[in-house]
Amino acid sequence: KFATARSFYMTALTEAGLVALAGMFLLFLTLYRSSKKDFKEKKLVNWGFAAIASMVSLLTLTLAFLLLPATILLIVLLFVLLALNAKIRHTTLSLTTQGVEVTQGLSTQNVASRFPALLITVPVVVFVLLFFVQATRVLSAEYKFKKALDMLAGNDASGTYDTMREAIRLNPRVDRYHATFSRVNLALANAITLRVASQTPQEDQESETGTQPTVSDQDRQNITLLVQQSISEGKAAVALNPLRAGNWEVLAQIYRTIMPLAQGADTFAVQTYRQAIALDPFNPNLRIALGGIHYGLKDYDGAIRAFESAVAAKADHANAHYNLAFALRDKGDLDRALSEMSLVASLITDKNSEDYKAAQQALQDLQAKREAAAPTGQQLTPPQTAEEPVFQPPLNLPEGSEPPSAPLSPTPTPQVSPEVSASPTPAQ
């Protein structure tokens, strides 16, 4: 998503400002002084490497953050190593007595001196017990979720569905559970649709024109329920974390997938993608997906605006220029389409890749003013045309399928110059 820097310290400085910079400076200054003194002491007593292993690990991790992006695991490991290398000192604290020698037996003074500790300890113990119970449910839900993903990889549809529901039951406040379960429901609905499509009557296959496959009432009801549940789970993920662009992206992908099945899904898909873009304006892939919907609806002006905004978000994104070239071609602006496709070929560094061959083929077709053949590639994916309705009449989305209200207003589409740079920056 182009939102993570290569250096953890640069990311912290950008997100938290000078306060984070000052905090890191003080922390690592103390770490430098402590490690220097510690190494000197260990060298004097001739201790082995095992005695300084944690300090070496801490220093290695702090240096690695200069060149590597930080993950949650690495950040937690950083503070664990800081705790292991911290210097501790035993201190006796009493809120009622000071300097009283401890004697055997209980006295009024001893009980009074221990009362503040008891007053604090009892609530802490209760809190720890409650936390342990909740943590057990959280870990059980994570185990079920991981098990469901393993079943999904093994094509066990029924096991995946039931295990994912169990994970959500154990911990319903995790948005990624709902987002994944929405995709599972959509995949099951798609499987039924493919099965119905493959069961076209023989007489229809032998006819010259053919007809669309008929769907039984039971299959139609199952597809409707699965689509409705997929939308509900996607909306639940958005409700749990409405400021995460990925949740809106999942919901938008659901609407986009059911466009051939249900009326009104295209409008919801556009609306949801715009909200995802408002939350993640620097992600060109969201704008490419939005442009693909406009392209599929043959709204070439809207598609061109979306693809141009993707180019504005990341000028060296080859797939953004590639999609823009197709939209310009179908609108009839062959000159700009040729310019964009030439730029695509220059942005692809691997001249032996399938992407480069696809770009070259499309460029040759544009230059010859012929309709471009559908190229295949690993990364360059042309915008898809609108699919024909699978069923006649199309399914009607149940009431309440519209996307939730947006927490942010969509950002205006960036305006870019129609001219393309003659010396683009190579894609990394």
Side-chain angles (χ1 to χ4, degrees), residues 152 156-158 160-162 181-195 222-223 226-227 229-230:
L152 181 62
D156 185 359
S158 177
T160 300
Y161 185 88
D162 295 336
F181 192 43
S182 68
R183 293 183 176 181
V184 170
N185 282 274
L186 193 61
L188 293 175
N190 187 54
I192 298 177
T193 303
L194 294 177
R195 176 176 58 79
N222 291 336
I223 293 174
L226 287 170
V227 168
Q229 189 163 350
S230 177

mmCIF file with all atom_site columns, all heavy atoms in Angstrom, residues 152 156-158 160-162 181-195 222-223 226-227 229-230:
data_model
loop_
_atom_site.group_PDB
_atom_site.id
_atom_site.type_symbol
_atom_site.label_atom_id
_atom_site.label_alt_id
_atom_site.label_comp_id
_atom_site.label_asym_id
_atom_site.label_entity_id
_atom_site.label_seq_id
_atom_site.pdbx_PDB_ins_code
_atom_site.Cartn_x
_atom_site.Cartn_y
_atom_site.Cartn_z
_atom_site.occupancy
_atom_site.B_iso_or_equiv
_atom_site.pdbx_formal_charge
_atom_site.auth_seq_id
_atom_site.auth_comp_id
_atom_site.auth_asym_id
_atom_site.auth_atom_id
_atom_site.pdbx_PDB_model_num
ATOM 1   N N   . LEU A 1 152 ? -9.220  -23.667 4.653   1.00 0.00 ? 152 LEU A N   1
ATOM 2   C CA  . LEU A 1 152 ? -9.458  -22.976 3.388   1.00 0.00 ? 152 LEU A CA  1
ATOM 3   C C   . LEU A 1 152 ? -8.396  -23.341 2.363   1.00 0.00 ? 152 LEU A C   1
ATOM 4   O O   . LEU A 1 152 ? -8.698  -23.547 1.179   1.00 0.00 ? 152 LEU A O   1
ATOM 5   C CB  . LEU A 1 152 ? -9.466  -21.465 3.626   1.00 0.00 ? 152 LEU A CB  1
ATOM 6   C CG  . LEU A 1 152 ? -9.734  -20.575 2.420   1.00 0.00 ? 152 LEU A CG  1
ATOM 7   C CD1 . LEU A 1 152 ? -11.112 -20.838 1.832   1.00 0.00 ? 152 LEU A CD1 1
ATOM 8   C CD2 . LEU A 1 152 ? -9.597  -19.104 2.796   1.00 0.00 ? 152 LEU A CD2 1
ATOM 9   N N   . ASP A 1 156 ? -11.506 -27.220 2.117   1.00 0.00 ? 156 ASP A N   1
ATOM 10  C CA  . ASP A 1 156 ? -12.562 -27.755 2.966   1.00 0.00 ? 156 ASP A CA  1
ATOM 11  C C   . ASP A 1 156 ? -13.551 -26.623 3.245   1.00 0.00 ? 156 ASP A C   1
ATOM 12  O O   . ASP A 1 156 ? -13.436 -25.895 4.235   1.00 0.00 ? 156 ASP A O   1
ATOM 13  C CB  . ASP A 1 156 ? -11.969 -28.311 4.266   1.00 0.00 ? 156 ASP A CB  1
ATOM 14  C CG  . ASP A 1 156 ? -13.007 -28.989 5.144   1.00 0.00 ? 156 ASP A CG  1
ATOM 15  O OD1 . ASP A 1 156 ? -14.193 -29.001 4.752   1.00 0.00 ? 156 ASP A OD1 1
ATOM 16  O OD2 . ASP A 1 156 ? -12.642 -29.495 6.222   1.00 0.00 ? 156 ASP A OD2 1
ATOM 17  N N   . ALA A 1 157 ? -14.529 -26.476 2.362   1.00 0.00 ? 157 ALA A N   1
ATOM 18  C CA  . ALA A 1 157 ? -15.446 -25.339 2.452   1.00 0.00 ? 157 ALA A CA  1
ATOM 19  C C   . ALA A 1 157 ? -16.307 -25.409 3.708   1.00 0.00 ? 157 ALA A C   1
ATOM 20  O O   . ALA A 1 157 ? -16.465 -24.418 4.426   1.00 0.00 ? 157 ALA A O   1
ATOM 21  C CB  . ALA A 1 157 ? -16.335 -25.285 1.209   1.00 0.00 ? 157 ALA A CB  1
ATOM 22  N N   . SER A 1 158 ? -16.867 -26.586 3.995   1.00 0.00 ? 158 SER A N   1
ATOM 23  C CA  . SER A 1 158 ? -17.743 -26.713 5.152   1.00 0.00 ? 158 SER A CA  1
ATOM 24  C C   . SER A 1 158 ? -16.978 -26.483 6.454   1.00 0.00 ? 158 SER A C   1
ATOM 25  O O   . SER A 1 158 ? -17.449 -25.763 7.345   1.00 0.00 ? 158 SER A O   1
ATOM 26  C CB  . SER A 1 158 ? -18.379 -28.112 5.164   1.00 0.00 ? 158 SER A CB  1
ATOM 27  O OG  . SER A 1 158 ? -19.182 -28.290 6.310   1.00 0.00 ? 158 SER A OG  1
ATOM 28  N N   . THR A 1 160 ? -14.195 -24.780 6.835   1.00 0.00 ? 160 THR A N   1
ATOM 29  C CA  . THR A 1 160 ? -13.798 -23.376 6.905   1.00 0.00 ? 160 THR A CA  1
ATOM 30  C C   . THR A 1 160 ? -14.951 -22.512 7.403   1.00 0.00 ? 160 THR A C   1
ATOM 31  O O   . THR A 1 160 ? -14.775 -21.649 8.272   1.00 0.00 ? 160 THR A O   1
ATOM 32  C CB  . THR A 1 160 ? -13.345 -22.890 5.518   1.00 0.00 ? 160 THR A CB  1
ATOM 33  O OG1 . THR A 1 160 ? -12.238 -23.675 5.073   1.00 0.00 ? 160 THR A OG1 1
ATOM 34  C CG2 . THR A 1 160 ? -12.932 -21.430 5.569   1.00 0.00 ? 160 THR A CG2 1
ATOM 35  N N   . TYR A 1 161 ? -16.128 -22.755 6.877   1.00 0.00 ? 161 TYR A N   1
ATOM 36  C CA  . TYR A 1 161 ? -17.297 -21.951 7.257   1.00 0.00 ? 161 TYR A CA  1
ATOM 37  C C   . TYR A 1 161 ? -17.611 -22.115 8.743   1.00 0.00 ? 161 TYR A C   1
ATOM 38  O O   . TYR A 1 161 ? -17.782 -21.128 9.472   1.00 0.00 ? 161 TYR A O   1
ATOM 39  C CB  . TYR A 1 161 ? -18.492 -22.387 6.406   1.00 0.00 ? 161 TYR A CB  1
ATOM 40  C CG  . TYR A 1 161 ? -19.739 -21.562 6.603   1.00 0.00 ? 161 TYR A CG  1
ATOM 41  C CD1 . TYR A 1 161 ? -19.965 -20.418 5.853   1.00 0.00 ? 161 TYR A CD1 1
ATOM 42  C CD2 . TYR A 1 161 ? -20.708 -21.944 7.541   1.00 0.00 ? 161 TYR A CD2 1
ATOM 43  C CE1 . TYR A 1 161 ? -21.116 -19.662 6.021   1.00 0.00 ? 161 TYR A CE1 1
ATOM 44  C CE2 . TYR A 1 161 ? -21.846 -21.199 7.723   1.00 0.00 ? 161 TYR A CE2 1
ATOM 45  C CZ  . TYR A 1 161 ? -22.056 -20.061 6.959   1.00 0.00 ? 161 TYR A CZ  1
ATOM 46  O OH  . TYR A 1 161 ? -23.191 -19.318 7.135   1.00 0.00 ? 161 TYR A OH  1
ATOM 47  N N   . ASP A 1 162 ? -17.671 -23.366 9.212   1.00 0.00 ? 162 ASP A N   1
ATOM 48  C CA  . ASP A 1 162 ? -18.041 -23.611 10.608  1.00 0.00 ? 162 ASP A CA  1
ATOM 49  C C   . ASP A 1 162 ? -16.962 -23.115 11.570  1.00 0.00 ? 162 ASP A C   1
ATOM 50  O O   . ASP A 1 162 ? -17.277 -22.518 12.619  1.00 0.00 ? 162 ASP A O   1
ATOM 51  C CB  . ASP A 1 162 ? -18.276 -25.109 10.829  1.00 0.00 ? 162 ASP A CB  1
ATOM 52  C CG  . ASP A 1 162 ? -19.480 -25.625 10.040  1.00 0.00 ? 162 ASP A CG  1
ATOM 53  O OD1 . ASP A 1 162 ? -20.365 -24.808 9.716   1.00 0.00 ? 162 ASP A OD1 1
ATOM 54  O OD2 . ASP A 1 162 ? -19.515 -26.839 9.742   1.00 0.00 ? 162 ASP A OD2 1
ATOM 55  N N   . PHE A 1 181 ? -14.405 -13.754 6.842   1.00 0.00 ? 181 PHE A N   1
ATOM 56  C CA  . PHE A 1 181 ? -15.625 -14.549 6.739   1.00 0.00 ? 181 PHE A CA  1
ATOM 57  C C   . PHE A 1 181 ? -16.521 -14.039 5.615   1.00 0.00 ? 181 PHE A C   1
ATOM 58  O O   . PHE A 1 181 ? -17.230 -14.821 4.967   1.00 0.00 ? 181 PHE A O   1
ATOM 59  C CB  . PHE A 1 181 ? -16.371 -14.515 8.067   1.00 0.00 ? 181 PHE A CB  1
ATOM 60  C CG  . PHE A 1 181 ? -17.479 -15.525 8.175   1.00 0.00 ? 181 PHE A CG  1
ATOM 61  C CD1 . PHE A 1 181 ? -17.297 -16.823 7.735   1.00 0.00 ? 181 PHE A CD1 1
ATOM 62  C CD2 . PHE A 1 181 ? -18.704 -15.177 8.715   1.00 0.00 ? 181 PHE A CD2 1
ATOM 63  C CE1 . PHE A 1 181 ? -18.315 -17.761 7.841   1.00 0.00 ? 181 PHE A CE1 1
ATOM 64  C CE2 . PHE A 1 181 ? -19.730 -16.099 8.818   1.00 0.00 ? 181 PHE A CE2 1
ATOM 65  C CZ  . PHE A 1 181 ? -19.530 -17.394 8.381   1.00 0.00 ? 181 PHE A CZ  1
ATOM 66  N N   . SER A 1 182 ? -16.504 -12.735 5.370   1.00 0.00 ? 182 SER A N   1
ATOM 67  C CA  . SER A 1 182 ? -17.291 -12.195 4.256   1.00 0.00 ? 182 SER A CA  1
ATOM 68  C C   . SER A 1 182 ? -16.788 -12.743 2.924   1.00 0.00 ? 182 SER A C   1
ATOM 69  O O   . SER A 1 182 ? -17.580 -13.069 2.033   1.00 0.00 ? 182 SER A O   1
ATOM 70  C CB  . SER A 1 182 ? -17.228 -10.666 4.264   1.00 0.00 ? 182 SER A CB  1
ATOM 71  O OG  . SER A 1 182 ? -15.922 -10.212 3.955   1.00 0.00 ? 182 SER A OG  1
ATOM 72  N N   . ARG A 1 183 ? -15.470 -12.879 2.811   1.00 0.00 ? 183 ARG A N   1
ATOM 73  C CA  . ARG A 1 183 ? -14.913 -13.435 1.572   1.00 0.00 ? 183 ARG A CA  1
ATOM 74  C C   . ARG A 1 183 ? -15.230 -14.915 1.443   1.00 0.00 ? 183 ARG A C   1
ATOM 75  O O   . ARG A 1 183 ? -15.439 -15.423 0.333   1.00 0.00 ? 183 ARG A O   1
ATOM 76  C CB  . ARG A 1 183 ? -13.406 -13.212 1.552   1.00 0.00 ? 183 ARG A CB  1
ATOM 77  C CG  . ARG A 1 183 ? -13.004 -11.741 1.448   1.00 0.00 ? 183 ARG A CG  1
ATOM 78  C CD  . ARG A 1 183 ? -11.505 -11.587 1.372   1.00 0.00 ? 183 ARG A CD  1
ATOM 79  N NE  . ARG A 1 183 ? -11.124 -10.198 1.167   1.00 0.00 ? 183 ARG A NE  1
ATOM 80  C CZ  . ARG A 1 183 ? -9.864  -9.774  1.040   1.00 0.00 ? 183 ARG A CZ  1
ATOM 81  N NH1 . ARG A 1 183 ? -8.877  -10.644 1.129   1.00 0.00 ? 183 ARG A NH1 1
ATOM 82  N NH2 . ARG A 1 183 ? -9.606  -8.489  0.845   1.00 0.00 ? 183 ARG A NH2 1
ATOM 83  N N   . VAL A 1 184 ? -15.272 -15.638 2.560   1.00 0.00 ? 184 VAL A N   1
ATOM 84  C CA  . VAL A 1 184 ? -15.633 -17.051 2.522   1.00 0.00 ? 184 VAL A CA  1
ATOM 85  C C   . VAL A 1 184 ? -17.064 -17.215 2.019   1.00 0.00 ? 184 VAL A C   1
ATOM 86  O O   . VAL A 1 184 ? -17.347 -18.064 1.156   1.00 0.00 ? 184 VAL A O   1
ATOM 87  C CB  . VAL A 1 184 ? -15.459 -17.679 3.915   1.00 0.00 ? 184 VAL A CB  1
ATOM 88  C CG1 . VAL A 1 184 ? -16.053 -19.088 3.949   1.00 0.00 ? 184 VAL A CG1 1
ATOM 89  C CG2 . VAL A 1 184 ? -13.979 -17.738 4.299   1.00 0.00 ? 184 VAL A CG2 1
ATOM 90  N N   . ASN A 1 185 ? -17.982 -16.419 2.534   1.00 0.00 ? 185 ASN A N   1
ATOM 91  C CA  . ASN A 1 185 ? -19.372 -16.482 2.066   1.00 0.00 ? 185 ASN A CA  1
ATOM 92  C C   . ASN A 1 185 ? -19.471 -16.154 0.590   1.00 0.00 ? 185 ASN A C   1
ATOM 93  O O   . ASN A 1 185 ? -20.227 -16.801 -0.148  1.00 0.00 ? 185 ASN A O   1
ATOM 94  C CB  . ASN A 1 185 ? -20.235 -15.504 2.874   1.00 0.00 ? 185 ASN A CB  1
ATOM 95  C CG  . ASN A 1 185 ? -20.605 -16.032 4.249   1.00 0.00 ? 185 ASN A CG  1
ATOM 96  O OD1 . ASN A 1 185 ? -21.584 -16.754 4.410   1.00 0.00 ? 185 ASN A OD1 1
ATOM 97  N ND2 . ASN A 1 185 ? -19.819 -15.674 5.241   1.00 0.00 ? 185 ASN A ND2 1
ATOM 98  N N   . LEU A 1 186 ? -18.710 -15.163 0.159   1.00 0.00 ? 186 LEU A N   1
ATOM 99  C CA  . LEU A 1 186 ? -18.741 -14.794 -1.254  1.00 0.00 ? 186 LEU A CA  1
ATOM 100 C C   . LEU A 1 186 ? -18.179 -15.903 -2.128  1.00 0.00 ? 186 LEU A C   1
ATOM 101 O O   . LEU A 1 186 ? -18.686 -16.166 -3.226  1.00 0.00 ? 186 LEU A O   1
ATOM 102 C CB  . LEU A 1 186 ? -17.953 -13.498 -1.456  1.00 0.00 ? 186 LEU A CB  1
ATOM 103 C CG  . LEU A 1 186 ? -18.138 -12.795 -2.800  1.00 0.00 ? 186 LEU A CG  1
ATOM 104 C CD1 . LEU A 1 186 ? -19.595 -12.386 -2.987  1.00 0.00 ? 186 LEU A CD1 1
ATOM 105 C CD2 . LEU A 1 186 ? -17.239 -11.582 -2.898  1.00 0.00 ? 186 LEU A CD2 1
ATOM 106 N N   . ALA A 1 187 ? -17.125 -16.572 -1.657  1.00 0.00 ? 187 ALA A N   1
ATOM 107 C CA  . ALA A 1 187 ? -16.549 -17.677 -2.414  1.00 0.00 ? 187 ALA A CA  1
ATOM 108 C C   . ALA A 1 187 ? -17.541 -18.834 -2.538  1.00 0.00 ? 187 ALA A C   1
ATOM 109 O O   . ALA A 1 187 ? -17.650 -19.473 -3.597  1.00 0.00 ? 187 ALA A O   1
ATOM 110 C CB  . ALA A 1 187 ? -15.260 -18.150 -1.751  1.00 0.00 ? 187 ALA A CB  1
ATOM 111 N N   . LEU A 1 188 ? -18.288 -19.110 -1.470  1.00 0.00 ? 188 LEU A N   1
ATOM 112 C CA  . LEU A 1 188 ? -19.297 -20.171 -1.531  1.00 0.00 ? 188 LEU A CA  1
ATOM 113 C C   . LEU A 1 188 ? -20.416 -19.814 -2.503  1.00 0.00 ? 188 LEU A C   1
ATOM 114 O O   . LEU A 1 188 ? -20.890 -20.660 -3.264  1.00 0.00 ? 188 LEU A O   1
ATOM 115 C CB  . LEU A 1 188 ? -19.864 -20.423 -0.135  1.00 0.00 ? 188 LEU A CB  1
ATOM 116 C CG  . LEU A 1 188 ? -18.888 -21.017 0.893   1.00 0.00 ? 188 LEU A CG  1
ATOM 117 C CD1 . LEU A 1 188 ? -19.545 -21.103 2.262   1.00 0.00 ? 188 LEU A CD1 1
ATOM 118 C CD2 . LEU A 1 188 ? -18.407 -22.384 0.442   1.00 0.00 ? 188 LEU A CD2 1
ATOM 119 N N   . ALA A 1 189 ? -20.830 -18.547 -2.489  1.00 0.00 ? 189 ALA A N   1
ATOM 120 C CA  . ALA A 1 189 ? -21.859 -18.117 -3.438  1.00 0.00 ? 189 ALA A CA  1
ATOM 121 C C   . ALA A 1 189 ? -21.358 -18.240 -4.872  1.00 0.00 ? 189 ALA A C   1
ATOM 122 O O   . ALA A 1 189 ? -22.091 -18.668 -5.772  1.00 0.00 ? 189 ALA A O   1
ATOM 123 C CB  . ALA A 1 189 ? -22.273 -16.677 -3.131  1.00 0.00 ? 189 ALA A CB  1
ATOM 124 N N   . ASN A 1 190 ? -20.090 -17.889 -5.078  1.00 0.00 ? 190 ASN A N   1
ATOM 125 C CA  . ASN A 1 190 ? -19.506 -17.997 -6.412  1.00 0.00 ? 190 ASN A CA  1
ATOM 126 C C   . ASN A 1 190 ? -19.413 -19.457 -6.852  1.00 0.00 ? 190 ASN A C   1
ATOM 127 O O   . ASN A 1 190 ? -19.615 -19.778 -8.030  1.00 0.00 ? 190 ASN A O   1
ATOM 128 C CB  . ASN A 1 190 ? -18.122 -17.354 -6.419  1.00 0.00 ? 190 ASN A CB  1
ATOM 129 C CG  . ASN A 1 190 ? -17.530 -17.288 -7.813  1.00 0.00 ? 190 ASN A CG  1
ATOM 130 O OD1 . ASN A 1 190 ? -18.141 -16.776 -8.745  1.00 0.00 ? 190 ASN A OD1 1
ATOM 131 N ND2 . ASN A 1 190 ? -16.325 -17.811 -7.955  1.00 0.00 ? 190 ASN A ND2 1
ATOM 132 N N   . ALA A 1 191 ? -19.117 -20.359 -5.900  1.00 0.00 ? 191 ALA A N   1
ATOM 133 C CA  . ALA A 1 191 ? -19.037 -21.779 -6.236  1.00 0.00 ? 191 ALA A CA  1
ATOM 134 C C   . ALA A 1 191 ? -20.389 -22.313 -6.692  1.00 0.00 ? 191 ALA A C   1
ATOM 135 O O   . ALA A 1 191 ? -20.476 -23.099 -7.657  1.00 0.00 ? 191 ALA A O   1
ATOM 136 C CB  . ALA A 1 191 ? -18.527 -22.571 -5.028  1.00 0.00 ? 191 ALA A CB  1
ATOM 137 N N   . ILE A 1 192 ? -21.466 -21.906 -6.005  1.00 0.00 ? 192 ILE A N   1
ATOM 138 C CA  . ILE A 1 192 ? -22.799 -22.335 -6.424  1.00 0.00 ? 192 ILE A CA  1
ATOM 139 C C   . ILE A 1 192 ? -23.134 -21.779 -7.805  1.00 0.00 ? 192 ILE A C   1
ATOM 140 O O   . ILE A 1 192 ? -23.715 -22.468 -8.655  1.00 0.00 ? 192 ILE A O   1
ATOM 141 C CB  . ILE A 1 192 ? -23.839 -21.898 -5.383  1.00 0.00 ? 192 ILE A CB  1
ATOM 142 C CG1 . ILE A 1 192 ? -23.569 -22.563 -4.031  1.00 0.00 ? 192 ILE A CG1 1
ATOM 143 C CG2 . ILE A 1 192 ? -25.248 -22.234 -5.859  1.00 0.00 ? 192 ILE A CG2 1
ATOM 144 C CD1 . ILE A 1 192 ? -24.515 -22.114 -2.928  1.00 0.00 ? 192 ILE A CD1 1
ATOM 145 N N   . THR A 1 193 ? -22.752 -20.524 -8.033  1.00 0.00 ? 193 THR A N   1
ATOM 146 C CA  . THR A 1 193 ? -23.013 -19.907 -9.338  1.00 0.00 ? 193 THR A CA  1
ATOM 147 C C   . THR A 1 193 ? -22.299 -20.657 -10.455 1.00 0.00 ? 193 THR A C   1
ATOM 148 O O   . THR A 1 193 ? -22.879 -20.919 -11.519 1.00 0.00 ? 193 THR A O   1
ATOM 149 C CB  . THR A 1 193 ? -22.561 -18.442 -9.315  1.00 0.00 ? 193 THR A CB  1
ATOM 150 O OG1 . THR A 1 193 ? -23.232 -17.745 -8.260  1.00 0.00 ? 193 THR A OG1 1
ATOM 151 C CG2 . THR A 1 193 ? -22.875 -17.767 -10.638 1.00 0.00 ? 193 THR A CG2 1
ATOM 152 N N   . LEU A 1 194 ? -21.040 -21.023 -10.225 1.00 0.00 ? 194 LEU A N   1
ATOM 153 C CA  . LEU A 1 194 ? -20.296 -21.777 -11.239 1.00 0.00 ? 194 LEU A CA  1
ATOM 154 C C   . LEU A 1 194 ? -20.903 -23.153 -11.461 1.00 0.00 ? 194 LEU A C   1
ATOM 155 O O   . LEU A 1 194 ? -20.950 -23.645 -12.595 1.00 0.00 ? 194 LEU A O   1
ATOM 156 C CB  . LEU A 1 194 ? -18.834 -21.900 -10.812 1.00 0.00 ? 194 LEU A CB  1
ATOM 157 C CG  . LEU A 1 194 ? -18.032 -20.601 -10.768 1.00 0.00 ? 194 LEU A CG  1
ATOM 158 C CD1 . LEU A 1 194 ? -16.618 -20.865 -10.252 1.00 0.00 ? 194 LEU A CD1 1
ATOM 159 C CD2 . LEU A 1 194 ? -17.971 -19.948 -12.145 1.00 0.00 ? 194 LEU A CD2 1
ATOM 160 N N   . ARG A 1 195 ? -21.376 -23.774 -10.398 1.00 0.00 ? 195 ARG A N   1
ATOM 161 C CA  . ARG A 1 195 ? -22.004 -25.089 -10.556 1.00 0.00 ? 195 ARG A CA  1
ATOM 162 C C   . ARG A 1 195 ? -23.276 -24.983 -11.376 1.00 0.00 ? 195 ARG A C   1
ATOM 163 O O   . ARG A 1 195 ? -23.534 -25.817 -12.253 1.00 0.00 ? 195 ARG A O   1
ATOM 164 C CB  . ARG A 1 195 ? -22.305 -25.683 -9.175  1.00 0.00 ? 195 ARG A CB  1
ATOM 165 C CG  . ARG A 1 195 ? -23.051 -27.006 -9.226  1.00 0.00 ? 195 ARG A CG  1
ATOM 166 C CD  . ARG A 1 195 ? -23.244 -27.590 -7.839  1.00 0.00 ? 195 ARG A CD  1
ATOM 167 N NE  . ARG A 1 195 ? -23.963 -26.694 -6.961  1.00 0.00 ? 195 ARG A NE  1
ATOM 168 C CZ  . ARG A 1 195 ? -25.290 -26.544 -6.981  1.00 0.00 ? 195 ARG A CZ  1
ATOM 169 N NH1 . ARG A 1 195 ? -26.031 -27.208 -7.865  1.00 0.00 ? 195 ARG A NH1 1
ATOM 170 N NH2 . ARG A 1 195 ? -25.874 -25.711 -6.136  1.00 0.00 ? 195 ARG A NH2 1
ATOM 171 N N   . ASN A 1 222 ? -30.050 -19.936 -1.665  1.00 0.00 ? 222 ASN A N   1
ATOM 172 C CA  . ASN A 1 222 ? -28.734 -20.102 -1.032  1.00 0.00 ? 222 ASN A CA  1
ATOM 173 C C   . ASN A 1 222 ? -27.778 -18.989 -1.447  1.00 0.00 ? 222 ASN A C   1
ATOM 174 O O   . ASN A 1 222 ? -27.038 -18.446 -0.616  1.00 0.00 ? 222 ASN A O   1
ATOM 175 C CB  . ASN A 1 222 ? -28.146 -21.459 -1.389  1.00 0.00 ? 222 ASN A CB  1
ATOM 176 C CG  . ASN A 1 222 ? -28.899 -22.607 -0.742  1.00 0.00 ? 222 ASN A CG  1
ATOM 177 O OD1 . ASN A 1 222 ? -29.546 -22.430 0.286   1.00 0.00 ? 222 ASN A OD1 1
ATOM 178 N ND2 . ASN A 1 222 ? -28.820 -23.786 -1.346  1.00 0.00 ? 222 ASN A ND2 1
ATOM 179 N N   . ILE A 1 223 ? -27.781 -18.644 -2.735  1.00 0.00 ? 223 ILE A N   1
ATOM 180 C CA  . ILE A 1 223 ? -26.900 -17.579 -3.211  1.00 0.00 ? 223 ILE A CA  1
ATOM 181 C C   . ILE A 1 223 ? -27.276 -16.255 -2.570  1.00 0.00 ? 223 ILE A C   1
ATOM 182 O O   . ILE A 1 223 ? -26.406 -15.480 -2.132  1.00 0.00 ? 223 ILE A O   1
ATOM 183 C CB  . ILE A 1 223 ? -26.959 -17.492 -4.754  1.00 0.00 ? 223 ILE A CB  1
ATOM 184 C CG1 . ILE A 1 223 ? -26.353 -18.750 -5.388  1.00 0.00 ? 223 ILE A CG1 1
ATOM 185 C CG2 . ILE A 1 223 ? -26.214 -16.251 -5.245  1.00 0.00 ? 223 ILE A CG2 1
ATOM 186 C CD1 . ILE A 1 223 ? -26.508 -18.809 -6.888  1.00 0.00 ? 223 ILE A CD1 1
ATOM 187 N N   . LEU A 1 226 ? -26.099 -16.253 1.077   1.00 0.00 ? 226 LEU A N   1
ATOM 188 C CA  . LEU A 1 226 ? -24.648 -16.138 1.192   1.00 0.00 ? 226 LEU A CA  1
ATOM 189 C C   . LEU A 1 226 ? -24.178 -14.731 0.830   1.00 0.00 ? 226 LEU A C   1
ATOM 190 O O   . LEU A 1 226 ? -23.282 -14.178 1.476   1.00 0.00 ? 226 LEU A O   1
ATOM 191 C CB  . LEU A 1 226 ? -23.966 -17.177 0.294   1.00 0.00 ? 226 LEU A CB  1
ATOM 192 C CG  . LEU A 1 226 ? -24.043 -18.624 0.781   1.00 0.00 ? 226 LEU A CG  1
ATOM 193 C CD1 . LEU A 1 226 ? -23.549 -19.582 -0.300  1.00 0.00 ? 226 LEU A CD1 1
ATOM 194 C CD2 . LEU A 1 226 ? -23.222 -18.805 2.054   1.00 0.00 ? 226 LEU A CD2 1
ATOM 195 N N   . VAL A 1 227 ? -24.773 -14.142 -0.206  1.00 0.00 ? 227 VAL A N   1
ATOM 196 C CA  . VAL A 1 227 ? -24.419 -12.776 -0.582  1.00 0.00 ? 227 VAL A CA  1
ATOM 197 C C   . VAL A 1 227 ? -24.810 -11.804 0.533   1.00 0.00 ? 227 VAL A C   1
ATOM 198 O O   . VAL A 1 227 ? -24.043 -10.899 0.895   1.00 0.00 ? 227 VAL A O   1
ATOM 199 C CB  . VAL A 1 227 ? -25.099 -12.394 -1.914  1.00 0.00 ? 227 VAL A CB  1
ATOM 200 C CG1 . VAL A 1 227 ? -24.983 -10.894 -2.163  1.00 0.00 ? 227 VAL A CG1 1
ATOM 201 C CG2 . VAL A 1 227 ? -24.474 -13.162 -3.068  1.00 0.00 ? 227 VAL A CG2 1
ATOM 202 N N   . GLN A 1 229 ? -25.112 -12.485 3.717   1.00 0.00 ? 229 GLN A N   1
ATOM 203 C CA  . GLN A 1 229 ? -24.223 -12.672 4.864   1.00 0.00 ? 229 GLN A CA  1
ATOM 204 C C   . GLN A 1 229 ? -22.838 -12.104 4.577   1.00 0.00 ? 229 GLN A C   1
ATOM 205 O O   . GLN A 1 229 ? -22.186 -11.561 5.467   1.00 0.00 ? 229 GLN A O   1
ATOM 206 C CB  . GLN A 1 229 ? -24.115 -14.152 5.212   1.00 0.00 ? 229 GLN A CB  1
ATOM 207 C CG  . GLN A 1 229 ? -23.380 -14.416 6.513   1.00 0.00 ? 229 GLN A CG  1
ATOM 208 C CD  . GLN A 1 229 ? -23.616 -15.810 7.049   1.00 0.00 ? 229 GLN A CD  1
ATOM 209 O OE1 . GLN A 1 229 ? -24.479 -16.531 6.558   1.00 0.00 ? 229 GLN A OE1 1
ATOM 210 N NE2 . GLN A 1 229 ? -22.849 -16.195 8.057   1.00 0.00 ? 229 GLN A NE2 1
ATOM 211 N N   . SER A 1 230 ? -22.390 -12.216 3.323   1.00 0.00 ? 230 SER A N   1
ATOM 212 C CA  . SER A 1 230 ? -21.095 -11.643 2.963   1.00 0.00 ? 230 SER A CA  1
ATOM 213 C C   . SER A 1 230 ? -21.111 -10.130 3.138   1.00 0.00 ? 230 SER A C   1
ATOM 214 O O   . SER A 1 230 ? -20.177 -9.545  3.695   1.00 0.00 ? 230 SER A O   1
ATOM 215 C CB  . SER A 1 230 ? -20.756 -12.001 1.515   1.00 0.00 ? 230 SER A CB  1
ATOM 216 O OG  . SER A 1 230 ? -19.543 -11.403 1.114   1.00 0.00 ? 230 SER A OG  1
#
